[in-house]
Amino acid sequence: MKMPRELVMGLDIGTTSVKACVFNLHGELIAEAEDMNAFHYPQQGWVEQDPAAIERSAVLAVREAVRKADIGKDELIALGFSAAMHSLVAVDEQVKPLSPALIWADGRSAAQADWMTAQAKSDIYARTGTPIHPMTPFMKLLWMKETGFEPYRNAAYFMSVKEYLIYSWFGERMIDYSMASATGLFNPSSLTWDRELLDMTGITEAQLSELVPPTTVLHGLSADIAAQTGIQGDVPFVIGAADGQLANLGIGAILPGEVAVSVGTSGAIRQLTSHIKVSETQETFCYSFTKDTAIIGGPTNNGGIALQWLKDLLQDRGSFTEFLKAAEQVEPGSEGLLFLPYLNGERAPIWNQRAKGNFYGIAMTHQKEHFVRAVLEGITFNLYQIGKALESIAGEPEKIYVNGGLSRSIVWLQMMADVFGADIYVSENHHSAAWGAAWTALVATGKARSFEEIKQNIPMGEAVKPNPENSKRYKHVYEQYEKTVKAVTGLF
């Protein structure tokens, strides 16, 4: 007879996929399920997804996770939500999509960002903590308004993919502080929608969702969704937060000086703080988490997606692990080959959606393995550059945690340790955002006493230590990388 268990689920609504992860209360992964999301590129620089398809992926992922974990009656005690930031969907009165979801990578509002004055950008950034960039719903709404986008003119409401899913399952229009903060329409000091910015976009507060803390429990799960997922209707669902804040929580990077680096399709480097901090150079973001805490950091558009691009370009048919191992054949610095990883435009540190990727220093002697290592190094140098900007307002990091899909690569983890010149800490559970969402659900339901208590419930592996010789070499290579960035980005 199976002993009854206490299990919690984190549902991570990502860009590339939706993941449902079942954990015990100590953060050990019991089962996981994933359903992939499709992308649509109707024009150069436009990137869209189908919100209804993502909602279906969430149903399928949860159902499969329930099956894999063989969850019995009353074993699942809570479920928490995590989601990617910056998506925007126009919906009608019945919350049926009038538009696709314009996601963070969508750059159609680049002209609106270019037209805004430097003073306006500075003032809005100081007020919201969100840089002016096409990634934000604020800029997407300006584009919709100025181009007469039909779904915008006919919309009753505007929401993220996460809000759309929550309405589909619970019939409630709610948004947590972190997702609201990432819209660029939110004032983190007052925890309210910014009326001046709403006026600029031509929408009203009534067209946006109710603002709530991440520990808000959702009630009234649709009987149809309960039947489809295999979850009992009385299981507490908790709204959770954005994937960035929850990734920091899920890996334990929650104290001053603790930095989390996440690299999946995209990437980011972040640190939790007790109050809003913005940089004079506008190189970093500052998004709310709870009413008392926020997260500062910088996101990059180009993480694993750059490696996938190279793998596809080279028509490499092997596994991703085998592809990355090619980098081991080359010394640090890739024999003079540098890569600027701006294939998809870029957010931090240059905040230029018109940026393009570049290889610099190509020679006749460079082979496939040099390009693989150069791309891996370019991604890492970009994160290091963002980290330097973060350091200028948050101080030097005392401990660096790494999570995300690329953290499964030993080659890259060693490169991170060498470039940053620091020990790198990695959880044995690679689903930090999902675990952060699950832990938020435990806090909300009283099963955990505090967010800080998660530190005792994260299975950590051995730290990856830097190679002093490689770190010394990378200091010189990074100097060349930084010079190349300054020279090339002036051309965009």
Side-chain angles (χ1 to χ4, degrees):
M1 180 178 174
K2 187 175 74 170
M3 293 290 291
R5 302 167 292 175
E6 285 191 308
L7 304 175
V8 61
M9 184 182 294
L11 181 61
D12 186 16
I13 309 158
T15 306
T16 305
S17 67
V18 178
K19 298 186 186 81
C21 301
V22 180
F23 305 93
N24 65 20
L25 303 195
H26 300 293
E28 295 168 345
L29 184 67
I30 304 301
E32 62 178 297
E34 181 176 28
D35 204 75
M36 306 306 293
N37 298 328
F39 297 83
H40 307 286
Y41 303 90
Q43 293 186 36
Q44 177 69 31
W46 293 27
V47 191
E48 302 173 348
Q49 291 186 305
D50 180 350
I54 294 174
E55 187 272 329
R56 290 302 307 156
S57 290
V59 170
L60 295 173
V62 171
R63 183 171 69 193
E64 182 63 7
V66 169
R67 185 194 67 79
K68 283 185 174 181
D70 190 22
I71 297 176
K73 189 176 184 297
D74 300 327
E75 286 192 325
L76 186 66
I77 60 174
L79 183 150
F81 289 101
S82 165
M85 292 177 269
H86 309 304
S87 60
L88 181 67
V89 187
V91 299
D92 65 16
E93 285 280 1
Q94 286 71 47
V95 193
K96 301 297 182 189
L98 297 175
S99 75
L102 281 57
I103 66 169
W104 58 265
D106 188 279
R108 70 187 70 188
S109 62
Q112 282 69 31
D114 290 343
W115 295 337
M116 195 171 289
T117 67
Q119 187 60 54
K121 289 180 179 180
S122 178
D123 290 346
I124 293 169
Y125 171 69
R127 201 156 74 237
T128 65
T130 307
I132 297 298
H133 188 272
M135 69 180 180
T136 65
F138 170 56
M139 296 308 303
K140 292 174 171 69
L141 285 165
L142 286 180
W143 174 87
M144 290 180 177
K145 177 187 176 184
E146 292 176 12
T147 59
F149 189 52
E150 187 174 354
Y152 165 88
R153 289 190 280 112
N154 297 329
Y157 310 112
F158 297 93
M159 53 180 55
S160 66
V161 171
K162 180 182 179 182
E163 291 163 81
Y164 172 79
L165 186 151
I166 286 170
Y167 185 87
S168 299
W169 289 16
F170 298 94
E172 298 275 3
R173 288 195 302 115
M174 290 183 177
I175 185 170
D176 63 85
Y177 298 148
S178 61
M179 293 294 290
S181 199
T183 65
L185 296 164
F186 178 79
N187 188 317
S189 298
S190 60
L191 300 177
T192 59
W193 295 116
D194 189 296
R195 290 183 182 276
E196 184 181 333
L197 298 180
L198 295 184
D199 289 343
M200 286 179 66
T201 61
I203 69 170
T204 66
E205 189 172 334
Q207 291 180 286
L208 299 176
S209 299
E210 178 189 355
L211 295 160
V212 298
T215 49
T216 299
V217 179
L218 301 161
H219 300 285
L221 178 67
S222 157
D224 183 47
I225 296 298
Q228 290 183 57
T229 58
I231 291 182
Q232 293 173 255
D234 60 350
V235 171
F237 282 69
V238 175
I239 198 167
D243 53 3
Q245 286 85 332
L246 293 175
N248 269 58
L249 175 63
I251 203 167
I254 56 178
L255 297 179
E258 296 180 337
V259 170
V261 179
S262 299
V263 184
T265 306
S266 55
I269 180 165
R270 301 173 300 262
Q271 184 173 332
L272 279 168
T273 177
S274 59
H275 57 280
I276 301 300
K277 292 181 181 178
V278 294
S279 75
E280 292 182 7
T281 55
Q282 302 177 46
E283 290 180 297
T284 56
F285 59 70
C286 188
Y287 298 148
S288 294
F289 175 36
T290 68
K291 68 181 179 66
D292 301 316
T293 59
I295 196 165
I296 50 176
T300 167
N301 286 0
N302 302 281
I305 197 170
L307 288 162
Q308 188 63 58
W309 164 80
L310 182 65
K311 190 174 187 296
D312 293 343
L313 182 71
L314 297 175
Q315 298 183 350
D316 183 276
R317 306 300 180 198
S319 70
F320 209 73
T321 301
E322 291 168 338
F323 181 70
L324 293 184
K325 280 186 73 67
E328 293 181 323
Q329 303 171 38
V330 181
E331 292 292 312
S334 304
E335 294 184 21
L337 183 61
L338 292 173
F339 176 65
L340 307 191
Y342 308 144
L343 298 177
N344 202 23
E346 191 50 290
R347 292 180 284 175
I350 62 172
W351 298 102
N352 190 333
Q353 191 59 29
R354 301 187 191 281
K356 296 290 182 286
N358 284 264
F359 282 104
Y360 174 79
I362 301 174
M364 291 289 289
T365 54
H366 288 140
Q367 303 295 315
K368 168 186 171 180
E369 54 269 25
H370 295 87
F371 285 88
V372 175
R373 187 170 191 101
V375 169
L376 207 53
E377 288 177 340
I379 293 168
T380 311
F381 287 147
N382 196 40
L383 288 166
Y384 183 72
Q385 190 173 13
I386 299 169
K388 299 299 283 184
L390 177 61
E391 190 175 313
S392 69
I393 59 171
E396 190 171 341
E398 297 174 12
K399 198 168 186 179
I400 300 174
Y401 297 86
V402 170
N403 55 42
L406 206 51
S407 66
R408 302 185 188 201
S409 166
I410 298 299
V411 179
W412 180 67
L413 289 175
Q414 187 61 58
M415 187 179 292
M416 275 288 297
D418 294 343
V419 169
F420 279 75
D423 290 356
I424 300 296
Y425 295 85
V426 187
S427 170
E428 292 175 0
N429 160 25
H430 292 283
H431 302 291
S432 298
W435 178 226
W439 189 263
T440 301
L442 294 177
V443 172
T445 55
K447 276 294 189 177
R449 289 172 293 184
S450 67
F451 287 116
E452 291 76 16
E453 192 182 350
I454 196 173
K455 279 184 166 290
Q456 283 75 55
N457 296 281
I458 301 172
M460 300 296 293
E462 291 291 321
V464 180
K465 297 186 174 296
N467 178 308
E469 194 60 41
N470 289 349
S471 290
K472 185 177 178 182
R473 185 179 301 184
Y474 270 133
K475 275 185 170 43
H476 297 296
V477 178
Y478 176 74
E479 288 172 4
Q480 285 301 117
Y481 172 87
E482 202 170 35
K483 288 177 185 175
T484 307
V485 168
K486 287 178 181 176
V488 172
T489 53
L491 302 175
F492 301 134

mmCIF file of all heavy atoms in Angstrom, residues 7-34:
data_model
loop_
_atom_site.group_PDB
_atom_site.id
_atom_site.type_symbol
_atom_site.label_atom_id
_atom_site.label_comp_id
_atom_site.label_asym_id
_atom_site.label_seq_id
_atom_site.Cartn_x
_atom_site.Cartn_y
_atom_site.Cartn_z
ATOM 1 N N LEU A 7 2.452 16.714 -1.612
ATOM 2 C CA LEU A 7 3.094 17.162 -2.842
ATOM 3 C C LEU A 7 2.595 18.561 -3.215
ATOM 4 O O LEU A 7 1.488 18.960 -2.859
ATOM 5 C CB LEU A 7 2.782 16.189 -3.988
ATOM 6 C CG LEU A 7 3.160 14.729 -3.758
ATOM 7 C CD1 LEU A 7 2.674 13.865 -4.916
ATOM 8 C CD2 LEU A 7 4.679 14.575 -3.591
ATOM 9 N N VAL A 8 3.437 19.286 -3.943
ATOM 10 C CA VAL A 8 3.079 20.619 -4.408
ATOM 11 C C VAL A 8 3.525 20.733 -5.858
ATOM 12 O O VAL A 8 4.522 20.127 -6.255
ATOM 13 C CB VAL A 8 3.724 21.701 -3.515
ATOM 14 C CG1 VAL A 8 5.240 21.618 -3.551
ATOM 15 C CG2 VAL A 8 3.253 23.091 -3.894
ATOM 16 N N MET A 9 2.786 21.493 -6.649
ATOM 17 C CA MET A 9 3.118 21.628 -8.074
ATOM 18 C C MET A 9 3.432 23.078 -8.410
ATOM 19 O O MET A 9 2.799 24.006 -7.911
ATOM 20 C CB MET A 9 1.952 21.149 -8.943
ATOM 21 C CG MET A 9 2.260 21.155 -10.453
ATOM 22 S SD MET A 9 0.855 20.652 -11.510
ATOM 23 C CE MET A 9 0.671 18.930 -11.031
ATOM 24 N N GLY A 10 4.435 23.256 -9.265
ATOM 25 C CA GLY A 10 4.730 24.559 -9.847
ATOM 26 C C GLY A 10 4.458 24.482 -11.334
ATOM 27 O O GLY A 10 4.958 23.572 -12.006
ATOM 28 N N LEU A 11 3.650 25.400 -11.836
ATOM 29 C CA LEU A 11 3.347 25.441 -13.269
ATOM 30 C C LEU A 11 4.060 26.647 -13.859
ATOM 31 O O LEU A 11 3.737 27.793 -13.530
ATOM 32 C CB LEU A 11 1.836 25.542 -13.492
ATOM 33 C CG LEU A 11 1.374 25.566 -14.951
ATOM 34 C CD1 LEU A 11 1.779 24.279 -15.670
ATOM 35 C CD2 LEU A 11 -0.134 25.768 -15.044
ATOM 36 N N ASP A 12 5.043 26.398 -14.721
ATOM 37 C CA ASP A 12 5.891 27.446 -15.284
ATOM 38 C C ASP A 12 5.509 27.674 -16.745
ATOM 39 O O ASP A 12 5.794 26.849 -17.613
ATOM 40 C CB ASP A 12 7.359 27.033 -15.163
ATOM 41 C CG ASP A 12 8.311 28.140 -15.594
ATOM 42 O OD1 ASP A 12 7.874 29.292 -15.696
ATOM 43 O OD2 ASP A 12 9.499 27.829 -15.827
ATOM 44 N N ILE A 13 4.839 28.814 -16.997
ATOM 45 C CA ILE A 13 4.359 29.134 -18.340
ATOM 46 C C ILE A 13 5.464 29.903 -19.049
ATOM 47 O O ILE A 13 5.534 31.136 -18.985
ATOM 48 C CB ILE A 13 3.058 29.963 -18.266
ATOM 49 C CG1 ILE A 13 2.056 29.281 -17.342
ATOM 50 C CG2 ILE A 13 2.461 30.167 -19.654
ATOM 51 C CD1 ILE A 13 1.000 30.229 -16.793
ATOM 52 N N GLY A 14 6.361 29.176 -19.696
ATOM 53 C CA GLY A 14 7.511 29.789 -20.338
ATOM 54 C C GLY A 14 7.242 30.191 -21.771
ATOM 55 O O GLY A 14 6.143 30.003 -22.301
ATOM 56 N N THR A 15 8.261 30.723 -22.416
ATOM 57 C CA THR A 15 8.146 31.121 -23.818
ATOM 58 C C THR A 15 8.196 29.905 -24.734
ATOM 59 O O THR A 15 7.360 29.754 -25.621
ATOM 60 C CB THR A 15 9.293 32.081 -24.187
ATOM 61 O OG1 THR A 15 9.301 33.172 -23.277
ATOM 62 C CG2 THR A 15 9.105 32.605 -25.598
ATOM 63 N N THR A 16 9.164 29.042 -24.503
ATOM 64 C CA THR A 16 9.364 27.882 -25.364
ATOM 65 C C THR A 16 8.409 26.750 -25.028
ATOM 66 O O THR A 16 7.999 25.986 -25.903
ATOM 67 C CB THR A 16 10.827 27.389 -25.242
ATOM 68 O OG1 THR A 16 11.699 28.482 -25.524
ATOM 69 C CG2 THR A 16 11.102 26.257 -26.206
ATOM 70 N N SER A 17 8.056 26.622 -23.751
ATOM 71 C CA SER A 17 7.198 25.515 -23.336
ATOM 72 C C SER A 17 6.485 25.850 -22.039
ATOM 73 O O SER A 17 6.811 26.832 -21.371
ATOM 74 C CB SER A 17 8.040 24.248 -23.138
ATOM 75 O OG SER A 17 8.923 24.395 -22.034
ATOM 76 N N VAL A 18 5.527 25.000 -21.697
ATOM 77 C CA VAL A 18 4.886 25.044 -20.385
ATOM 78 C C VAL A 18 5.352 23.808 -19.628
ATOM 79 O O VAL A 18 5.262 22.691 -20.149
ATOM 80 C CB VAL A 18 3.352 25.047 -20.487
ATOM 81 C CG1 VAL A 18 2.728 25.043 -19.093
ATOM 82 C CG2 VAL A 18 2.870 26.249 -21.276
ATOM 83 N N LYS A 19 5.873 24.009 -18.418
ATOM 84 C CA LYS A 19 6.356 22.893 -17.606
ATOM 85 C C LYS A 19 5.519 22.785 -16.340
ATOM 86 O O LYS A 19 5.255 23.789 -15.677
ATOM 87 C CB LYS A 19 7.819 23.094 -17.208
ATOM 88 C CG LYS A 19 8.794 23.158 -18.360
ATOM 89 C CD LYS A 19 10.223 23.202 -17.822
ATOM 90 C CE LYS A 19 11.233 23.417 -18.949
ATOM 91 N NZ LYS A 19 11.346 24.811 -19.344
ATOM 92 N N ALA A 20 5.113 21.569 -16.027
ATOM 93 C CA ALA A 20 4.439 21.282 -14.760
ATOM 94 C C ALA A 20 5.356 20.372 -13.962
ATOM 95 O O ALA A 20 5.742 19.296 -14.436
ATOM 96 C CB ALA A 20 3.097 20.607 -15.001
ATOM 97 N N CYS A 21 5.753 20.820 -12.771
ATOM 98 C CA CYS A 21 6.709 20.084 -11.949
ATOM 99 C C CYS A 21 6.088 19.767 -10.588
ATOM 100 O O CYS A 21 5.571 20.672 -9.924
ATOM 101 C CB CYS A 21 7.983 20.898 -11.748
ATOM 102 S SG CYS A 21 8.820 21.340 -13.291
ATOM 103 N N VAL A 22 6.175 18.503 -10.207
ATOM 104 C CA VAL A 22 5.656 18.060 -8.915
ATOM 105 C C VAL A 22 6.830 17.844 -7.970
ATOM 106 O O VAL A 22 7.803 17.148 -8.316
ATOM 107 C CB VAL A 22 4.841 16.758 -9.058
ATOM 108 C CG1 VAL A 22 4.303 16.318 -7.697
ATOM 109 C CG2 VAL A 22 3.701 16.946 -10.056
ATOM 110 N N PHE A 23 6.757 18.441 -6.778
ATOM 111 C CA PHE A 23 7.832 18.359 -5.788
ATOM 112 C C PHE A 23 7.275 17.826 -4.471
ATOM 113 O O PHE A 23 6.081 17.968 -4.174
ATOM 114 C CB PHE A 23 8.418 19.742 -5.496
ATOM 115 C CG PHE A 23 8.898 20.498 -6.696
ATOM 116 C CD1 PHE A 23 8.057 21.396 -7.350
ATOM 117 C CD2 PHE A 23 10.190 20.346 -7.162
ATOM 118 C CE1 PHE A 23 8.497 22.122 -8.450
ATOM 119 C CE2 PHE A 23 10.644 21.064 -8.266
ATOM 120 C CZ PHE A 23 9.787 21.955 -8.912
ATOM 121 N N ASN A 24 8.186 17.243 -3.656
ATOM 122 C CA ASN A 24 7.822 17.059 -2.251
ATOM 123 C C ASN A 24 8.146 18.367 -1.529
ATOM 124 O O ASN A 24 8.632 19.321 -2.139
ATOM 125 C CB ASN A 24 8.527 15.845 -1.633
ATOM 126 C CG ASN A 24 10.045 15.999 -1.568
ATOM 127 O OD1 ASN A 24 10.594 17.099 -1.621
ATOM 128 N ND2 ASN A 24 10.739 14.874 -1.458
ATOM 129 N N LEU A 25 7.896 18.446 -0.251
ATOM 130 C CA LEU A 25 8.040 19.717 0.453
ATOM 131 C C LEU A 25 9.483 20.125 0.712
ATOM 132 O O LEU A 25 9.748 21.215 1.220
ATOM 133 C CB LEU A 25 7.257 19.680 1.773
ATOM 134 C CG LEU A 25 5.756 19.370 1.665
ATOM 135 C CD1 LEU A 25 5.050 19.729 2.964
ATOM 136 C CD2 LEU A 25 5.100 20.086 0.501
ATOM 137 N N HIS A 26 10.438 19.258 0.326
ATOM 138 C CA HIS A 26 11.863 19.569 0.480
ATOM 139 C C HIS A 26 12.508 19.958 -0.842
ATOM 140 O O HIS A 26 13.732 20.086 -0.926
ATOM 141 C CB HIS A 26 12.599 18.379 1.095
ATOM 142 C CG HIS A 26 12.076 17.991 2.440
ATOM 143 N ND1 HIS A 26 12.200 18.800 3.547
ATOM 144 C CD2 HIS A 26 11.399 16.886 2.850
ATOM 145 C CE1 HIS A 26 11.627 18.213 4.597
ATOM 146 N NE2 HIS A 26 11.132 17.056 4.191
ATOM 147 N N GLY A 27 11.693 20.149 -1.898
ATOM 148 C CA GLY A 27 12.223 20.593 -3.173
ATOM 149 C C GLY A 27 12.735 19.493 -4.063
ATOM 150 O O GLY A 27 13.352 19.778 -5.106
ATOM 151 N N GLU A 28 12.519 18.251 -3.699
ATOM 152 C CA GLU A 28 12.940 17.137 -4.552
ATOM 153 C C GLU A 28 11.898 16.927 -5.641
ATOM 154 O O GLU A 28 10.699 16.853 -5.371
ATOM 155 C CB GLU A 28 13.113 15.868 -3.721
ATOM 156 C CG GLU A 28 14.239 15.991 -2.713
ATOM 157 C CD GLU A 28 14.234 14.858 -1.683
ATOM 158 O OE1 GLU A 28 13.197 14.159 -1.586
ATOM 159 O OE2 GLU A 28 15.248 14.690 -0.992
ATOM 160 N N LEU A 29 12.360 16.846 -6.891
ATOM 161 C CA LEU A 29 11.461 16.691 -8.026
ATOM 162 C C LEU A 29 10.911 15.270 -8.068
ATOM 163 O O LEU A 29 11.660 14.302 -8.112
ATOM 164 C CB LEU A 29 12.211 17.003 -9.327
ATOM 165 C CG LEU A 29 11.390 16.990 -10.602
ATOM 166 C CD1 LEU A 29 10.383 18.133 -10.612
ATOM 167 C CD2 LEU A 29 12.313 17.078 -11.828
ATOM 168 N N ILE A 30 9.593 15.163 -8.072
ATOM 169 C CA ILE A 30 8.922 13.857 -8.131
ATOM 170 C C ILE A 30 8.574 13.501 -9.567
ATOM 171 O O ILE A 30 8.745 12.359 -9.998
ATOM 172 C CB ILE A 30 7.642 13.865 -7.264
ATOM 173 C CG1 ILE A 30 7.973 14.274 -5.822
ATOM 174 C CG2 ILE A 30 6.948 12.508 -7.314
ATOM 175 C CD1 ILE A 30 8.978 13.378 -5.122
ATOM 176 N N ALA A 31 8.097 14.478 -10.321
ATOM 177 C CA ALA A 31 7.742 14.243 -11.728
ATOM 178 C C ALA A 31 7.682 15.585 -12.439
ATOM 179 O O ALA A 31 7.436 16.625 -11.824
ATOM 180 C CB ALA A 31 6.400 13.528 -11.827
ATOM 181 N N GLU A 32 7.909 15.557 -13.735
ATOM 182 C CA GLU A 32 7.796 16.759 -14.549
ATOM 183 C C GLU A 32 7.170 16.402 -15.891
ATOM 184 O O GLU A 32 7.279 15.273 -16.375
ATOM 185 C CB GLU A 32 9.168 17.396 -14.777
ATOM 186 C CG GLU A 32 10.144 16.513 -15.532
ATOM 187 C CD GLU A 32 11.483 17.183 -15.783
ATOM 188 O OE1 GLU A 32 11.480 18.217 -16.504
ATOM 189 O OE2 GLU A 32 12.509 16.686 -15.284
ATOM 190 N N ALA A 33 6.498 17.369 -16.475
ATOM 191 C CA ALA A 33 5.913 17.198 -17.799
ATOM 192 C C ALA A 33 6.031 18.523 -18.535
ATOM 193 O O ALA A 33 5.969 19.595 -17.923
ATOM 194 C CB ALA A 33 4.461 16.767 -17.698
ATOM 195 N N GLU A 34 6.212 18.446 -19.834
ATOM 196 C CA GLU A 34 6.443 19.643 -20.628
ATOM 197 C C GLU A 34 5.656 19.565 -21.924
ATOM 198 O O GLU A 34 5.581 18.513 -22.555
ATOM 199 C CB GLU A 34 7.943 19.778 -20.924
ATOM 200 C CG GLU A 34 8.331 20.988 -21.722
ATOM 201 C CD GLU A 34 9.848 21.093 -21.885
ATOM 202 O OE1 GLU A 34 10.527 20.043 -21.868
ATOM 203 O OE2 GLU A 34 10.355 22.219 -22.021
#
